[in-house]
Amino acid sequence: MMRTRPLKVALLGCGVVGSEVARIMTTHADDLTARIGAPVELAGVAVRRPSKVREGIDPALVTTDATALVKRGDIDVVVEVIGGIEPARTLITTAFERGASVVSANKALLAQDGAALHAAAVEHGRDLYYEAAVAGAIPLIRPLRESLAGDKVNRVLGIVNGTTNFILDKMDSTGAGYQEALDEATALGYAEADPTADVEGFDAAAKAAILAGIAFHTRVRLDDVYREGMTEVTAADFASAKEMGCTIKLLAICERAADGGSVTARVHPAMIPLDHPLASVRGAYNAVFVEAEAAGQLMFYGPGAGGAPTASAVLGDLVAVCRNRLSGSTGPGESAYTQLPVSPMGDVVTRYHISLDVADKPGVLAQVATVFAEHGVSIDTVRQQGKDGEASLVVVTHRAADAALTGTVDALRKLDTVRGVASIMRVEGE
């Protein structure tokens, strides 16, 4: 039987995503009512600039007092799309205290304080859903949290930032340098005026923390994620990658240790083989590769940002939360029963591509090989080119621990015959 009293929604933020959420709630109102089992009513919209014209939104709903909106006793669901840590954290906890469930797209807050927010939701018997916090429209959190709940996920490897993928794709396909590709991304609206959060990996690191926590049923905070940006990637790195049959992507990598006793979470540029599914992800798209024991290898692909795609994920959560509200139940909350430690980056084992500037004279290769051997790093291939007394030496290793590779590079820099380390790139996906 259809309930006639509407479920009331408070919308915090009405920017690119929030305005799309409001639009879809209005234009798809009848469909949402049929799917949920009750009407859904936009009861208020909290904004910073009330004078701005917002097409399709009744000005009477607009307020600058987000706290008062959340504290209203008739609000059933709060949708938070303002981002940042505060006031979002306080508003969300206040919503729980006042009896509302929450749908959020706030990756930074969830990566930093997800455990506390989940605890608050449980304490007050309410839902906390956040599909939109990772990979935009791509259904990813719900499959990890629900569809694969009976399986054991061992690895999550993905491109989770569209801006960085657009830039690296341009560098790969056109031979452009980093700055040239960034300028094009900015002109097209893919990059913010200050792209630091994207290109330095902060955005991807927050998403990696969320994914690792869900995939491995353990608590992983943003501070646990190793982060390395992509601003030092050059056209020469892409040329080297092509010689190896690879391309370069900024990857978020979450792994369970082989013995199952720990996990790692990291974000950094890496070479991946051209036959890997992630290598063909172009433009501003996202894709995540999941490896589970029973399900095997799964690929999730689609637009990872933008108003409409992200709003689609928000509305999916809104429908689920409203259904739970009507049935008097809650959906799955935090699962952190394994309490696995997060290993430091030094323990991570992978392959490496190292480019050295060296003196072009006999014995250099032998010296370099000796340093690798002394630090227990096995060499797979070596390529050397020289001219006019200077040379470049490209070494590709077998799998080695990051700490061992760091010690090797430190020792190489002390050799008189090594002029400098041009680049170090991890090789993944093999």
Side-chain angles (χ1 to χ4, degrees):
M1 181 176 178
M2 183 74 68
R3 192 179 93 161
T4 57
R5 185 176 72 80
L7 291 161
K8 294 193 175 184
V9 178
L11 177 61
L12 308 183
C14 198
V16 173
V17 176
S19 60
E20 280 296 310
V21 170
R23 182 189 66 80
I24 295 172
M25 286 184 64
T26 301
T27 58
H28 295 183
D30 291 342
D31 287 337
L32 291 173
T33 298
R35 293 167 190 172
I36 291 169
V40 180
E41 176 185 303
L42 189 59
V45 183
V47 300
R48 287 185 297 177
R49 295 184 293 274
S51 59
K52 180 179 178 181
V53 176
R54 293 172 173 85
E55 187 176 348
I57 297 177
D58 183 352
L61 297 177
V62 177
T63 178
T64 58
D65 194 342
T67 301
L69 176 59
V70 168
K71 285 185 174 180
R72 278 175 46 175
D74 62 339
I75 298 297
D76 294 290
V77 183
V78 170
V79 174
E80 182 274 309
V81 289
I82 57 178
I85 305 302
E86 289 291 358
R89 175 169 49 197
T90 299
L91 291 169
I92 288 174
T93 55
T94 300
F96 292 140
E97 292 165 0
R98 301 293 289 186
S101 291
V102 173
V103 173
S104 176
N106 196 331
K107 55 188 170 290
L109 178 58
L110 289 159
Q112 178 173 306
D113 289 320
L117 295 179
H118 275 292
V122 171
E123 179 184 354
H124 297 284
R126 293 296 177 249
D127 276 321
L128 173 62
Y129 276 50
Y130 44 91
E131 184 67 64
V134 180
I138 304 172
L140 183 58
I141 289 178
R142 190 171 283 112
L144 285 173
R145 191 160 68 171
E146 299 178 33
S147 303
L148 295 174
D151 207 340
K152 182 180 180 182
V153 176
N154 291 317
R155 195 176 196 222
V156 179
L157 173 76
I159 298 165
V160 295
N161 183 278
T163 299
T164 56
N165 198 61
F166 178 89
I167 293 169
L168 292 174
D169 183 38
K170 279 295 176 183
M171 293 176 70
D172 183 30
S173 60
T174 69
Y178 167 77
Q179 190 60 51
E180 182 182 352
L182 172 60
D183 290 344
E184 182 173 353
T186 303
L188 293 173
Y190 292 122
E192 301 287 346
D194 179 1
T196 302
D198 295 323
V199 300
E200 293 294 353
F202 290 101
D203 175 85
K207 296 171 181 176
I210 295 170
L211 291 174
I214 296 171
F216 307 134
H217 304 279
T218 197
R219 286 177 178 166
V220 180
R221 288 171 50 89
L222 180 59
D223 292 345
D224 296 321
V225 181
Y226 172 84
R227 177 194 55 79
E228 185 181 315
M230 49 161 276
T231 57
E232 300 301 319
V233 176
T234 66
D237 291 326
F238 274 100
S240 294
K242 288 180 179 180
E243 290 179 358
M244 290 180 59
C246 293
T247 188
I248 298 171
K249 299 291 186 182
L250 184 76
L251 299 178
I253 306 170
C254 311
E255 294 178 306
R256 188 191 301 268
D259 63 4
S262 64
V263 299
T264 59
R266 50 197 166 102
V267 169
H268 55 72
M271 294 181 179
I272 57 171
L274 292 175
D275 59 1
H276 191 282
L278 293 179
S280 60
V281 177
R282 300 295 185 186
Y285 274 68
N286 283 193
V288 178
F289 201 70
V290 177
E291 298 177 13
E293 281 197 358
Q297 297 179 333
L298 307 171
M299 179 84 160
F300 299 85
Y301 170 83
T310 305
S312 170
V314 170
L315 267 295
D317 279 350
L318 180 63
V319 169
V321 168
C322 286
R323 286 172 175 170
N324 292 343
R325 189 83 174 188
L326 290 179
S327 67
S329 64
T330 56
E334 182 189 33
S335 176
Y337 72 92
T338 62
Q339 298 182 3
L340 295 173
V342 182
S343 296
M345 187 62 188
D347 293 345
V348 171
V349 176
T350 188
R351 296 181 68 204
Y352 293 87
H353 176 284
I354 304 106
S355 180
L356 305 171
D357 295 325
V358 300
D360 186 16
K361 62 182 183 180
V364 173
L365 180 55
Q367 284 184 324
V368 169
T370 297
V371 170
F372 276 87
E374 288 174 347
H375 289 80
V377 179
S378 177
I379 294 176
D380 182 16
T381 61
V382 178
R383 185 176 70 256
Q384 183 174 5
Q385 293 178 322
K387 183 179 180 182
D388 299 328
E390 297 295 330
S392 63
L393 192 64
V394 176
V395 179
V396 179
T397 73
H398 289 290
R399 291 175 62 84
D402 188 84
L405 196 281
T406 298
T408 302
V409 172
D410 288 343
L412 288 171
R413 287 193 169 104
K414 295 177 183 178
L415 294 178
D416 292 339
T417 52
V418 175
R419 311 300 192 208
V421 179
S423 68
I424 303 172
M425 189 78 65
R426 295 171 183 89
V427 183
E428 301 284 349
E430 296 182 309

